[in-house]
Amino acid sequence: MIRIAVMVSGGGTNLQALIDAQNAGKIPHGRITLVVASNASAYALERAKKANIDSCVIKRKDYGNQVAFDAAIVETLHANKIDMVVLAGYLSILGSGVIEAYRDRIINIHPSLIPSFCGKGFYGLKVHEAALARGVKVTGATVHLVNEIPDGGRILKQKAVYIEEGDTPEILQKRVMEQAEWILLPEACEEIAAQLDKGE
Ligand code: GRF
């Protein structure tokens, strides 16, 4: 059974989608055993508590530099015997210390069709503001492996979502979450967990 850590920063709706998928038997090769938040006020921590999943907070500003922050994260993941990591609305930067330790075993959900509207500075509502400003007719979400390049790792899954007349960034964000993120992330999580479980 692959032990999964989910890293969060905000409301945790993607974490909730993973918890719900797990409870529905849709992630048979893995088990969410830890939630790591970048801040103590993330509502995602409430969701973890309700689901009886261990959680902890590791704040970047508590560490003098990226190397020390990375080391604290890796130490926590290893102490919990974590096999793979899912970034679900996680906003802190993971340095090479974490990426090396979990090479090809960290996945991230990004709320656009990469390579559009991704990379440095594109997160949360900013992604949808940029899509609306550009006037694209179709956007969506992408799950990709995490490497040293922001949003640069191998693409695992994508799902398109149509932009509708009168969309605001908030309305579009919700539609992309409902129609794409909350579907793709559990699917990709099970796909990678199954590969790791088989030693691929
Ligand atoms: C949202 O902008 C979502 O599109 C992105 O992370 C943000 C927070 O998601 N993946 P969550 O509700 O904390 O999962």
Side-chain angles (χ1 to χ4, degrees), residues 139-169:
T139 185
T142 302
V143 183
H144 62 93
L145 287 173
V146 172
N147 64 13
E148 288 75 1
I149 304 155
D151 301 324
R154 177 164 63 90
I155 290 172
L156 298 175
K157 286 186 176 293
Q158 293 190 303
K159 191 167 188 295
V161 173
Y162 279 90
I163 285 174
E164 295 176 12
E165 200 58 40
D167 270 352
T168 64

Side-chain angles (χ1 to χ4, degrees), residues 10-14 88-89 109 111 124 173 177 181:
T13 65
N14 278 288
I109 176 86
Q173 178 177 53
M177 283 175 159
E181 295 181 44

